[in-house]
């Protein structure tokens, strides 16, 4: 059972790893700093507990401990119990979700490890919005995508906001960093993946018609610039999601969800 420790002083050094979560300079989840992974809320903490990201401490109010008590029954970890007011002083803002868990980053998966059992993967290029990254992981978990691979210029998927928006699925869906694109697409090709570049170009065929491979890698670029021309040229085929006239593009997380759904539908 977790060891419950009551905290009434926001300056208590035992909870230092939860301090200043909204400070750009001192955030504990910065990869170059402490490099911690922070889970917010009961559901996300539960998913962390069931993942390879093992928490070393929790901070939360009494009610959230009661909700997590069964999940923590076999976990030897301190639960620093405090009030919502003390939590707000520690983290730097009022936390509606009432509980945080902190874990250290485990070893990064290799591309081969992320692809080991995958048949549908997303490959991101230049996606630097944390909420979009979190949403892509949530969509991947809900619609059967097996892994997410990161190309150039993507944001950290373990940033607190990305973890929260993903509802903790970034802790469960395998992901890995690719070598520079477009050359690294050969790794996917050598593993039997058909490589499809998503584009709003009306001259491209539809995604439903394009997905013919037993394994499919869906390339997605940032909103606005999209995929680079070099990456699209290195793909096997370009494909679009049909949209009504006058619409230039979809949110990248929405496009990913539609692509994942289409993949499930035709399998």
């Amino acid at each position: 059972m977790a060891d419950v420790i009551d905290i009434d002083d926001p300056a208590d050094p035992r909870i230092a790893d939860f301090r200043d979560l909204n400070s750009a300079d001192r955030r504990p989840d910065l990869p170059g700093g402490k490099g911690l992974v922070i889970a917010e809320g009961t559901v996300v903490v539960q998913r962390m507990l069931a993942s390879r990201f093992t928490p070393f401490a929790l901070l939360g109010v009494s009610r959230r401990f009661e909700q997590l008590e069964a999940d923590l029954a076999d976990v030897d970890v301190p639960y620093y119990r405090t009030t919502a007011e003390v939590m707000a002083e520690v983290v730097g803002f009022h936390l509606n979700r009432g509980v945080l868990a902190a874990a250290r980053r485990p070893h990064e998966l290799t591309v081969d490890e992320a692809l080991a059992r995958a048949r549908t993967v997303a490959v991101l290029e230049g996606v630097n919005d944390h909420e979009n990254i979190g949403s892509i992981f949530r969509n991947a978990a809900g619609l059967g995508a097996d892994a997410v691979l990161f190309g150039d210029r993507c944001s950290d998927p373990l940033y607190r906001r990305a973890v929260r928006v993903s509802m903790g699925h970034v802790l469960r869906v395998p992901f890995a960093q690719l070598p520079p694109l477009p050359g690294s697409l050969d790794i996917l090709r050598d593993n039997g993946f058909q490589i499809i570049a998503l584009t709003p170009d009306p001259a491209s065929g539809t995604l439903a018609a394009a997905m013919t491979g037993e394994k499919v890698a869906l390339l997605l670029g940032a909103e606005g610039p999209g995929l680079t021309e070099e990456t699209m040229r290195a793909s096997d085929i370009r494909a679009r999601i049909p949209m009504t006239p006058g619409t230039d593009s979809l949110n990248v997380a929405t496009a990913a969800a539609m692509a994942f759904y289409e993949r499930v539908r035709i399998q």
Side-chain angles (χ1 to χ4, degrees), residues 1-258:
M1 173 62 71
D3 183 17
V4 179
I5 301 168
D6 288 315
I7 299 287
D8 57 15
D9 179 4
D12 192 311
R14 291 174 293 182
I15 54 175
D17 288 322
F18 299 100
R19 203 175 307 286
D20 298 325
L21 295 187
N22 63 346
S23 170
D25 296 328
R26 297 188 299 274
R27 281 195 352 246
D29 58 344
L30 288 171
K34 291 183 178 180
L36 303 182
V37 183
I38 305 294
E40 287 182 52
T42 304
V43 172
V44 180
V45 170
Q46 287 171 328
R47 288 182 176 143
M48 175 178 273
L49 289 165
S51 77
R52 68 191 186 97
F53 294 80
T54 304
F56 62 82
L58 293 92
L59 173 68
V61 298
S62 181
R63 186 161 68 93
R64 297 301 184 226
F65 176 77
E66 293 167 4
Q67 294 171 341
L68 289 165
E69 191 167 4
D71 301 281
L72 296 170
D74 298 317
V75 179
D76 183 15
V77 63
Y79 186 100
Y80 296 112
R81 184 169 57 189
T82 190
T83 65
E85 291 74 22
V86 170
M87 279 196 76
E89 285 196 55
V90 173
V91 304
F93 56 91
H94 180 70
L95 190 77
N96 291 326
R97 293 165 184 82
V99 66
L100 298 165
R104 294 180 178 85
R105 297 185 184 219
H107 79 278
E108 295 183 5
L109 296 181
T110 66
V111 174
D112 286 343
E113 287 172 331
L115 294 179
R117 291 178 291 277
R119 298 178 63 81
T120 304
V121 302
V123 180
L124 309 185
E125 181 184 45
V127 180
N128 56 14
D129 182 276
H130 294 105
E131 294 193 3
N132 280 335
I133 287 175
S135 294
I136 288 169
F137 274 92
R138 186 174 183 181
N139 295 336
L143 294 167
D146 303 302
V148 178
L149 301 180
F150 288 92
D152 310 311
R153 306 180 316 282
C154 290
S155 293
D156 178 20
L158 296 178
Y159 173 50
R160 177 179 57 84
R161 187 180 303 162
V163 176
R164 184 195 67 206
V165 172
S166 79
M167 291 302 294
H169 289 298
V170 70
L171 308 175
R172 304 178 70 187
V173 175
F175 65 88
Q177 178 69 47
L178 282 167
L181 295 172
S184 59
L185 293 180
D186 285 337
I187 299 172
L188 290 159
R189 197 169 280 115
D190 291 344
N191 277 275
F193 283 86
Q194 179 194 20
I195 302 171
I196 303 174
L198 271 69
T199 172
D201 184 354
S204 300
T206 64
L207 182 60
M211 286 194 286
T212 58
E214 290 188 11
K215 295 181 177 182
V216 168
L218 299 160
L219 309 188
L220 296 143
E223 292 178 52
L227 295 166
T228 62
E229 182 60 32
E230 292 79 10
T231 295
M232 286 197 286
R233 280 201 302 266
S235 69
D236 297 327
I237 190 170
R238 304 184 192 198
R240 62 182 172 85
I241 296 169
M243 294 181 290
T244 55
T247 305
D248 58 351
S249 65
L250 294 170
N251 169 274
V252 64
T254 302
M258 295 184 71

